[in-house]
Amino acid sequence: MMTRVSQSLRSFTSSASPSQLNHSLVERLRRLVNSNDLQRAFSLFYSAPLELQSNQAYGALFQACAEQRNLRRGITLHHHMLSHPCSYSHDLFLANHLITMYTKCGKMLYARQVFDEMPERNVVSWTSLITGYAKSGNEQEGFSLFSAMLSHCLPNEFAVSSVLTSCKYETGKQVHGLSLKLGLHSSIYVANALISMYGRCRDCVAGYEAWTVFKAMKFKNLVAWNSMIAAFQCCNLGKEAVGVFMRMRRDGVGFDRATLLNVCSSLYKSSDLVPDEVSKCCIQLHCLSVKSGFVTQTEVATALVKVYSEVLGEFAECYKLFVEMRNCRDIVAWTGIITAFAVYDPEMAIHLFGQLRQEKLSPDWYTFSSVLKACAGLVTARQALTIHAQVIKGGFGADTVLNNSLIHAYAKCGSLDLCKRVFDDMDSRDVVSWNSMLKAYSLHGQVDSILPVFQQMDIKPDSATFIALLSACSHAGRVEEGMKIFRSMFEKPETLPQLNHYACVIDMLGRAERFTEAEEVIKQMPMVPDAVVWSALLGSCRKHGNTRLGKLAADKLKELEPTNSLSYIQISNIYSAEGSFNEASKSRKEMETWRVRKEPGLSWTEIGNKVHEFASGGRRRADRDAIYKELNRLIGRLKEMGYVPEMRSALQDIEEEEQKEEHLLHHSEKLALAFAVMEGRRRSHDGGVAVNVIQIMKNIRICIDCHNFMKLASKLLGKEILVRDSNRFHHFKDSSCSCNDYW
């Protein structure tokens, strides 16, 4: 190739003037560079006579190295230039090209060295280096250089817009003032940079300052509209962001992918939008995405999936949209849909993860993080073990965050041994690692294990650490130890109790029937009690039959969360327990008036790698009759052992004792246990392996009657029964429970 280039040059040089030769070489270099043939361009340049290696030729090649981020060739060319007899080392034109090349290749020290050695500089020199500092995120150096520039030359619109890209609020305001003084604020580049700068401040005041800049613009391009929407979104002003988008549509301004992504972000990141507004805007965005064809782009479709799932809770529509993405689903899209279902439908999330693997895609860190969240919502640790193996195989076995997620998942699935194994094997632990282990012990009521772990912590505890400790003390009835921990939080400003800590303390005192102290703590709170605090107090009042305080807590909870069924149901139960059925009926009717729906009691158990769901009364089950038959047989044997239904747990206004008993006996966890026993016997007859532990998960707190039922059943069946309710785990074995009947 070198020979062909040399021959071509010789044939041309014999008949052309030096200026023609120089111009021709530069044009040839540019053509080769534009066709991405950098190798031939450099071969042509190095084979040319030294007198033809002009600054224009050097400039064309330095520019190519900058655009292609080819640092190696750029450095070689720089060394070649320094050895050139014409000595272009002080050439302003080439020095500016060198600064640009080094900054674009991320070598700010090299760029600064070239800049410092320049005998003269122009506005391009300053702007190029300022731009480099801005892109590298070095705000301090960029702003210092911009300030120094002012004593040498006036900045242009590009210098101002460059320094603004990394400015924080105070420095940005100063640059804004300078742009007004120099008349550069009318430049569309400066105005867009100002809007983006104010948006990055993530403050409502800054958001409205961005709006002032936007309104003053005489000409607004699409970048300006997108920047304004993004600024409002970053400042948690979602309603305003949507308003700008609507105005944009009314004015006939087009949109692009960035517009749709910014508006979607506003819908699921802002807290000032109501569901109806979000729903209406989401439908419009979806329609526009379909009409414009942007819905086929993975990022847009994934953003819409996030809005449908996280904000609107429309998972059917969310999945439908994902299915329509069939031809453009990458790992980001798969991770998005798995994240959407991780909490709402963990089994579906696991199924989607399996499909991802079938499509030969490799899960990344985010995918594993999402699917492990789904594992935490399952009955057993079977799926978590499978995902754990894939995490190790994928090269993430030492990742601290994923190990923390594994500890959480194993804890929620009832396996403390696996939690401890992961924790002990970790090479490095952060505060979340320790908190995850503390929460695991708390969830299983092992307060004797949690305190030694806390004492071993070699990292400064945070807010979540104390929540785990206080919860453990609350569940175990260790009030004095819990109050000692609570009081210790006042010793340092960084550990002062927050709302969640007060809620734990109220729960702890209420469970111990120390209502006078609980009331005093509420009165002394430095902040207004929230719904969690009143819920904790109400639950304790229900347990101990404190009607006066229970009514107060219920009324406060209704004020804060009028659509939360807990306040109506708990006070109704309190009234029913003391025989005030008229008052209980009023509370139920109030629920109907406000159209508040009670969360149905559901339980799940896993048999043969399949999860089975049970509702109170056996609804949704085709095999209900068989389950009832098994349950009645079980009840009969338990009554022989002394089981007596706890009628106070019949929480509705039921007058007949027989009706109350029937209501109690059809609670969902009892049906789940009967089904597990029935299936276990069938599988044993078929030659299957006997199961020693029956695991049941329940979405609400287990009642006293079901708790007594499970204790006796564990002795009758000779098996451990592990029940996870909304608060904690109950390990039933040989007629006793790990909670020591304190929950």
Side-chain angles (χ1 to χ4, degrees), residues 480-496:
E480 299 309 324
E481 287 173 273
M483 292 305 294
K484 183 179 177 182
I485 291 167
F486 179 65
R487 284 190 286 268
S488 73
M489 295 180 70
F490 291 90
E491 295 171 3
K492 297 178 183 177
E494 62 269 24
T495 60
L496 285 174

Side-chain angles (χ1 to χ4, degrees), residues 138-331:
N138 195 332
E139 180 209 358
Q140 188 173 353
E141 282 294 331
F143 188 73
S144 297
L145 189 67
F146 181 79
S147 301
M149 175 187 184
L150 300 178
S151 60
H152 294 83
C153 62
L154 290 176
N156 59 17
E157 57 188 326
F158 302 109
V160 172
S161 57
S162 290
V163 75
L164 281 169
T165 58
S166 63
C167 277
K168 292 185 172 66
Y169 184 76
E170 292 302 327
T171 52
K173 286 283 285 184
Q174 293 177 44
V175 176
H176 189 179
L178 179 66
S179 68
L180 288 167
K181 186 177 180 180
L182 298 176
L184 295 174
H185 63 287
S186 57
S187 161
I188 194 164
Y189 300 108
V190 174
N192 288 342
L194 281 167
I195 292 168
S196 296
M197 180 274 295
Y198 283 124
R200 288 196 306 274
C201 297
R202 300 185 179 278
D203 177 81
C204 289
V205 174
Y208 287 116
E209 289 188 73
W211 178 240
T212 302
V213 173
F214 180 79
K215 286 193 296 182
M217 294 175 71
K218 292 180 180 178
F219 169 73
K220 304 177 182 73
N221 60 5
L222 183 56
V223 175
W225 288 94
N226 287 345
S227 298
M228 192 63 246
I229 293 170
F232 274 143
Q233 178 261 307
C234 289
C235 296
N236 197 28
L237 296 167
K239 191 173 290 187
E240 281 79 0
V242 172
V244 172
F245 177 66
M246 295 302 183
R247 179 176 171 180
M248 185 179 174
R249 299 294 300 146
R250 283 196 305 270
D251 292 352
V253 180
F255 62 91
D256 62 5
R257 182 179 64 91
T259 316
L260 297 172
L261 292 175
N262 284 330
V263 179
C264 281
S265 293
S266 299
L267 295 179
Y268 64 77
K269 287 184 179 178
S270 299
S271 58
D272 63 338
L273 286 161
V274 297
D276 286 346
E277 291 173 323
V278 175
S279 181
K280 183 179 178 182
C281 190
C282 185
I283 291 168
Q284 287 183 326
L285 284 178
H286 195 170
C287 292
L288 286 171
S289 301
V290 172
K291 285 175 69 176
S292 61
F294 283 118
V295 75
T296 61
Q297 294 192 14
T298 304
E299 282 183 288
V300 174
T302 303
L304 285 168
V305 163
K306 199 165 187 177
V307 177
Y308 275 123
S309 61
E310 290 190 11
V311 184
L312 300 175
E314 295 182 7
F315 294 95
E317 193 65 36
C318 164
Y319 183 68
K320 181 182 175 184
L321 180 59
F322 178 74
V323 170
E324 290 170 357
M325 293 167 60
R326 189 176 293 105
N327 298 321
C328 64
R329 295 191 299 220
D330 60 5
I331 193 63

